[in-house]
Amino acid sequence: MFTNPIKCGKNVPQNSQLNEVFKIVKINSFINLEKRKEKKMEKLSKINGIKKFGICFMLLMMGTVSINAAPTNLELKIGLNQEYETLNPLLATTAAAKYMIYFAHRPATYLAVDKQFKPLIVKKIPNLKDKSLKIVSEGSSKKLISEWEFVDNLKWSDGVPVTCADWKFSWQVGLNPNVSLPSKETFENIESIEWNEKSPTKCTIKYKKALWNFFLEMPELLPRHIEEEIYNKYSKEPQGYDRNTMYQKDPTKKGLWYGPYVISEAKIGSHIILTPNEFYYGKQKPAIKKIVLKFIVNTGTLEANLRSGNVDMISHLGLSLDQALAFEKKLTEEKLPFNIKFEEGVTYAHIDLNLDNPILKEQKVRQALFYGLNREEIVKTVYEGKATIAHHLTAPVDRIYTDDKKIVKIYESDKKMAKKLLDEAGWKLNVDGYRYKSGKKLSLNLTAAGGIKVNETLQSIMQSQWKSIGVDIQIKNETGRFLFSETLPKRKFEMAFFSWSSFPEQSPMSVLHSSNIPTAKNTWTGQNFPGFKNAQIDRFCEEYEREFDANKRLKIMRDILKIYTEELPVLPVYFRSVNAVVPKNLKNFRLVGHLFYDSLQVEEWSL
């Protein structure tokens, strides 16, 4: 694969001379070894010289011959730049954990390539048309009753059938206040899960609220026959189950998975090994016999690992967009055996502002920071225009997106306005170039996941842009694992730059509703990390989820976006395309730009 020549000294033989070079090496070696009567030091010197020449020869050969063949169905090694915080499907929140889990686990429904929601481990999505879904009135409340049925032969990886009892157990685990989850709403909205013992795979699920997206809010399944004993032992301890779940203690145990693969080995900080699940329910069995997920958190070394053969592929959680653009140019120039794929995405890069911070509590300060941020420069400089400036949390690919200035507030880079707002807020410019108020410097920490080159580049640009309006920014980075498991949920930050992925028309409830502010009291549940509280937003979020009429939902979402862009609990930065580098011989790989990742189609891959 490497084609660049390796130079050894001044006069390196060309390929056409290699045979002669090899003859010379052998002859010289023979002569030197035969000179038994020469002085010892002279003899050793000559032998040493031949050894060095031989090493040079081998390096030259390495530079002109491919050092690793194309991967086969025997093994595929995938590099990614993040680790998992947990492998428990119910508890996992990060993109990295979800991506890994989907090789061995399946949600009830997913967003297909045609942008339609479809069933995955169930035979159909309950719907009003065929009456498998019913809206019922109880007093002043409207509730839902749905009929679900698992696909045939759905079994855990120890051969035990998946049943409604597993779903009920998962629901009960999620309700426990001692279990940490991004949001409890999924679980709190379910009123009951029932079934007939004669048909344990047909579940009747009743919901307290009639929500249009009920099918997207189903609890991820856990194996009751394995996890129930652990849960009963630790359920009364805060995060006791989280720490002791078998997915944490031994994710290789038989019976934890029902997807096309099982986890055969998991080493924190190193890798996960996946092998085919002998009890997989799907008609199409996985073709690749072994998949290795390698954690290479320093994105700067991912390309080197790909070139050396340490990995065969880089997932969408690998190269930053700027690295991918640079690598794309090398593919053609060097004729490397890879394809790089780009897909317009809903990955939302933004800066969460901790609204408990006395500086960031002021709306004028938040707006000044946004006016002082030149996102157009960021997109052009770092991403060569292959990212879209974000005005709010919905992406341009989403039906509910709008950039209509009559509906949402649009912020263009405007240093003059930024300075004016800071002056009005009482932050006056000092001779040192920074602003002060009552003797306190306008200084804020900007936190992101460390070890990711693009994050550091972007932070430096932001730091420089904000310095020009008199704001001192201190960069304080942490490991991705610590950032997402500790700093963000426990709100131990001032400004946090990170990304998350969603899917079209997703409810903003988990990130905007005041009930989803994580606290010690709710076991750090929820993703409203800024601590945003707005009664109108709460009401609109609730209405959005209850509305089955798509056009009415559109109107509600635009009301939400109007407040979001005026209040600015978050500074939107951009939506970036996702990318992946795959070997040219990988078939049936489809990159997606949302959170139903490509690993959900892994059984279709072949080499």
Side-chain angles (χ1 to χ4, degrees), residues 511-525:
V511 294
L512 291 182
H513 198 283
S514 60
S515 65
N516 285 313
I517 299 172
T519 64
K521 189 175 180 180
N522 67 14
T523 327
W524 311 110
T525 296

Side-chain angles (χ1 to χ4, degrees), residues 334-375:
E334 302 179 37
K335 298 181 179 179
L336 300 175
F338 304 103
N339 290 322
I340 188 161
K341 297 180 179 290
F342 294 92
E343 181 69 25
E344 189 175 5
V346 289
T347 300
Y348 178 43
H350 59 285
I351 302 168
D352 273 12
L353 307 177
N354 191 328
L355 302 182
D356 289 344
N357 181 282
I359 297 174
L360 295 170
K361 269 186 177 180
E362 296 185 75
Q363 183 182 14
K364 285 187 176 181
V365 171
R366 300 195 299 271
Q367 290 180 332
L369 288 170
F370 207 20
Y371 277 120
L373 189 64
N374 190 333
R375 293 166 295 154

Side-chain angles (χ1 to χ4, degrees), residues 8 32 90 138 169 188 255 320 345 404 456 478 550 564 579 602:
C8 302
N32 283 326
L90 195 72
E138 292 187 8
F169 169 68
E188 291 171 347
S320 58
D404 186 340
E456 295 163 0
E478 299 168 350
Y564 184 86
N579 70 83
V602 64

Side-chain angles (χ1 to χ4, degrees), residues 254-299:
K254 282 192 172 183
L256 294 180
W257 310 104
Y258 56 75
Y261 287 87
V262 297
I263 293 178
S264 299
E265 185 174 304
K267 292 187 71 173
I268 292 175
S270 178
H271 65 270
I272 283 177
I273 295 178
L274 299 143
T275 51
N277 176 10
E278 62 178 308
F279 293 103
Y280 177 51
Y281 67 92
K283 293 180 180 179
Q284 185 167 346
K285 306 302 179 185
I288 302 171
K289 304 305 179 188
K290 179 180 178 183
I291 294 177
V292 184
L293 304 178
K294 295 194 174 188
F295 313 140
I296 304 168
V297 295
N298 186 341
T299 57

Side-chain angles (χ1 to χ4, degrees), residues 53 104 143 171 283 420:
F53 194 79
K143 301 183 178 183
W171 166 53
K283 293 180 180 179
K420 179 176 180 292

